[in-house]
Amino acid sequence: MQYEAVIGLEVHCQVKTQSKMFCGCANRFGAEPNTLTCPVCLGYPGSLPVANAEAVRKIVAAGLMCGCTISKFSKFDRKNYFYPDMPKNYQITQFDLPFCLGGQIPVGGKGFSGQPLPEKKIGITRIHMEEDVAKLTHLGKASAVDYNRAGVPLMEIVSEPDMRTPDEAYAYLTALKQVLEYAGISECDMEKGQMRCDVNVSVRPLGRAEFGTKIEIKNLNSFRSVHRSLCHEIPRQIEAVEAGEKLRQETRRWDDALGVTIVMRVKEHAHDYRYFPEPDLMPVTHTDEQIEKIRATLPEVPFVRRDRFVTEYGITPYDAHVLTLEKPLADYYEAAARGSANPKQVANWIITELLRVLGERGLTIRECPVTPAHMAELAGLVGGGTITGSVAKSTVFPAMLESGRAPSEIVKEKGLEQVNDDSAIEGFVTQAIAANPKAVEEYRAGKAASIQFLVGQVMKLSRGKANPQAALPLLKKQLDAG
Ligand code: ADP
Ligand code: MG
Ligand code: ZN
């Protein structure tokens, strides 16, 4: 029998704000433990929370970026439980009236494992606000608590069970991160715990409408480990079902070193968190006008921008995908491509040359020594035949990187203009033929490819400046005549 997996993700993202969700303590990573605290985020009795308007605005912004409906009326609720990471013994969250409902994120292109990924929209059930909890560090028999993280604004983004493969889950996470980074809502740095993900997965025979028993996987600290854990968990569930086992609803932990999921606890009955409306906070209302005001501050959604790049600049969907992965890069490309006669070549230069060099030097696009205008000018010089592609690559572009100067200046100063003049190129052709009797012989013996070698020699003799299109017929003429 054939099976398919059903996957739904619950993603927690810290919201980038100046201060914490309900107090004035700084929302900052990496400070000395327990230096960013106050009676509110330490849960002292009698302290009163005040909702952070910037955090609320950013969660609404996240909803708008994902096409959600923003609630006109929402409220905060208490989720009651005991754990040392939560000194109040309850967490302020949102239960039945979250800020955002019903959005979607498109995925597609090429999957993480290299297979093509069909275009598809992954539904978002809801986005609600929570406060983050303290960080526990286990030291042998004791544990240490750092409350700096307690009360940091967090949003939980719950997806519909719409994903079917590990690649789709990976693509969804990548797209979500991209959207949140674009709008400056979260830095989404998983290493700093700013983005955390729980995976829900079940399997069912292909064609069956009902879902199978859901298993939740925790402790996933990278998109890669989400992918790996699914590649392990899906076949494990299928095997169990095939063997006639009845799966239980349970929570498992991903062990990255062993590459397996391990049972943590079995969900016997739903937790009773005794949710009730938070009495110390007012409900939050949003008018259409307020929502539109927030919408007006948002950047273009990355996948909309990607599709626009394809139609507006005529580049391939893959190039558009690469160029829109991060907003600063998309801004860079657009600044170069707008008004350029060669937007496709500009894309090529950025993807094949610029990104390679930046990668080698560990620089971000923001630190790029070449301005977008100079990048466009370089593509224009090649496209318009002023210099050859080979001179651009070997000489002009490296000089631009070193000096930050305009390519036209470099070309003029070093005399790098392409040689189109037949008589000048003929001189190089004669030299190339004289210096390479073996290739000439091979060509005449019928090995057509040898002429490409000779074109290469002409380019070399001209230090890359000869127009290769002009060199080819001149070479043929001399060879066939001789
Ligand atoms: P719970 O009440 O256990 O938290 P929810 O209904 O809130 O469950 O769903 C949590 C997540 O699990 C959501 O992302 C949802 O899409 C996903 N999910 C729900 N049912 C299934 C299932 N049978 N298989 C896989 N994922 C599921
Ligand atoms: Mg849930
Ligand atoms: Zn505080």
Side-chain angles (χ1 to χ4, degrees):
M1 184 153 3
Q2 275 220 312
Y3 287 84
E4 77 171 352
V6 170
I7 304 162
L9 301 182
E10 292 166 289
V11 178
H12 284 94
C13 276
Q14 286 186 355
V15 184
K16 200 166 105 186
T17 53
Q18 294 292 314
S19 55
K20 291 190 184 179
M21 188 65 215
F22 299 116
C23 62
C25 293
N27 171 10
R28 178 154 56 82
F29 179 83
E32 276 294 298
N34 296 306
T35 53
L36 308 173
T37 58
C38 75
V40 172
C41 55
L42 288 174
Y44 285 20
S47 62
L48 285 173
V50 177
N52 179 337
E54 188 192 7
V56 174
R57 195 181 56 72
K58 287 203 166 166
I59 297 171
V60 169
L64 292 172
M65 290 293 285
C66 299
C68 295
T69 303
I70 308 305
S71 306
K72 297 284 171 58
F73 181 91
S74 27
K75 66 175 171 67
F76 298 105
D77 299 280
R78 284 191 186 179
K79 178 180 177 179
N80 299 280
Y81 68 92
F82 168 77
Y83 205 66
D85 65 5
M86 189 66 258
K88 300 197 294 288
N89 287 342
Y90 61 82
Q91 180 188 29
I92 304 179
T93 177
Q94 294 187 298
F95 185 53
D96 54 339
L97 294 171
F99 288 137
C100 320
L101 286 166
Q104 56 190 25
I105 296 255
V107 297
K110 200 155 94 189
F112 178 65
S113 51
Q115 305 297 324
L117 203 59
E119 298 286 326
K120 177 172 171 180
K121 290 187 165 109
I122 309 298
I124 288 177
T125 314
R126 57 186 275 159
I127 304 179
H128 67 252
M129 176 266 136
E130 294 186 345
E131 54 179 333
D132 209 344
V133 296
K135 186 171 165 43
L136 291 179
T137 307
H138 303 294
L139 315 156
K141 285 184 177 161
S143 292
V145 195
D146 176 8
Y147 287 103
N148 285 352
R149 204 179 70 181
V152 164
L154 200 63
M155 57 185 169
E156 179 172 346
I157 301 153
V158 182
S159 87
E160 289 290 303
D162 284 350
M163 289 154 273
R164 297 290 173 266
T165 60
D167 271 13
E168 279 184 7
Y170 190 96
Y172 166 79
L173 286 171
T174 309
L176 184 62
K177 176 175 176 310
Q178 187 190 12
V179 164
L180 297 176
E181 281 178 345
Y182 254 66
I185 293 162
S186 176
E187 281 167 10
C188 298
D189 189 337
M190 278 191 116
E191 269 166 32
K192 292 182 183 168
Q194 290 169 342
M195 189 178 192
R196 313 193 282 271
C197 175
D198 297 333
V199 171
N200 298 274
V201 55
S202 60
V203 296
R204 65 178 170 188
L206 202 58
R208 180 178 293 177
E210 307 93 79
F211 290 151
T213 306
K214 161 185 100 164
I215 278 164
E216 185 169 357
I217 312 172
K218 291 204 179 281
N219 192 39
L220 297 158
N221 49 22
S222 64
F223 292 177
R224 214 180 130 254
S225 61
V226 168
H227 193 273
R228 279 184 72 208
S229 72
L230 283 166
C231 289
H232 164 265
E233 180 64 16
I234 294 166
R236 189 194 71 77
Q237 288 186 19
I238 293 173
E239 229 168 81
V241 172
E242 294 245 273
E245 228 179 278
K246 186 120 181 55
L247 292 175
R248 299 167 302 180
Q249 193 167 329
E250 62 190 16
T251 303
R252 301 176 74 90
R253 181 175 64 83
W254 170 245
D255 188 313
D256 209 51
L258 296 177
V260 295
T261 62
I262 301 161
V263 188
M264 269 169 83
R265 57 173 182 261
V266 180
K267 230 180 199 170
E268 267 131 17
H269 47 86
H271 283 286
D272 185 3
Y273 291 119
R274 294 192 303 114
Y275 283 99
F276 64 85
E278 166 61 53
D280 291 338
L281 286 164
M282 295 285 284
V284 177
T285 57
H286 280 106
T287 62
D288 283 331
E289 211 181 7
Q290 286 168 323
I291 295 168
E292 290 318 308
K293 221 166 162 183
I294 297 173
R295 196 196 302 279
T297 65
L298 297 176
E300 188 175 21
V301 178
F303 15 91
V304 172
R305 194 171 198 188
R306 181 197 62 201
D307 294 348
R308 183 171 61 75
F309 276 9
V310 172
T311 47
E312 197 166 327
Y313 301 118
I315 62 179
T316 65
Y318 180 74
D319 284 359
H321 163 78
V322 172
L323 292 169
T324 51
L325 276 176
E326 290 178 13
K327 183 166 180 294
L329 178 60
D331 290 345
Y332 184 97
Y333 172 66
E334 187 135 45
R338 190 169 276 159
S340 158
N342 321 75
K344 271 195 215 172
Q345 285 86 335
V346 172
N348 255 330
W349 273 98
I350 293 176
I351 291 170
T352 58
E353 296 301 314
L354 189 64
L355 291 183
R356 180 180 55 76
V357 171
L358 293 179
E360 280 166 11
R361 301 186 180 184
L363 296 178
T364 67
I365 190 75
R366 284 202 180 90
E367 297 158 326
C368 176
V370 177
T371 65
H374 288 169
M375 206 71 225
E377 195 184 308
L378 180 67
L381 290 173
V382 179
T386 308
I387 55 174
T388 62
S390 99
V391 161
K393 241 175 233 164
S394 66
T395 316
V396 183
F397 184 60
M400 289 163 71
L401 283 165
E402 288 331 308
S403 65
R405 288 170 65 204
S408 52
E409 255 176 59
I410 296 167
V411 167
K412 204 177 280 167
E413 186 183 287
K414 300 194 175 175
L416 297 169
E417 287 89 351
Q418 171 163 277
V419 176
N420 290 309
D421 173 40
D422 275 4
S423 61
I425 296 175
E426 257 164 2
F428 296 124
V429 165
T430 311
Q431 281 183 56
I433 289 175
N436 298 281
K438 200 162 154 259
V440 173
E441 207 173 293
E442 280 170 2
Y443 171 77
R444 288 191 177 133
K447 194 175 160 201
S450 295
I451 202 157
Q452 286 310 328
F453 170 79
L454 291 168
V455 171
Q457 295 308 300
V458 170
M459 295 303 288
K460 207 166 159 188
L461 289 164
S462 71
R463 286 184 296 122
K465 291 178 352 187
N467 177 347
Q469 263 94 50
L472 189 65
L474 292 174
L475 254 171
K476 269 200 182 133
K477 205 172 97 192
Q478 285 204 24
L479 284 167
D480 294 344

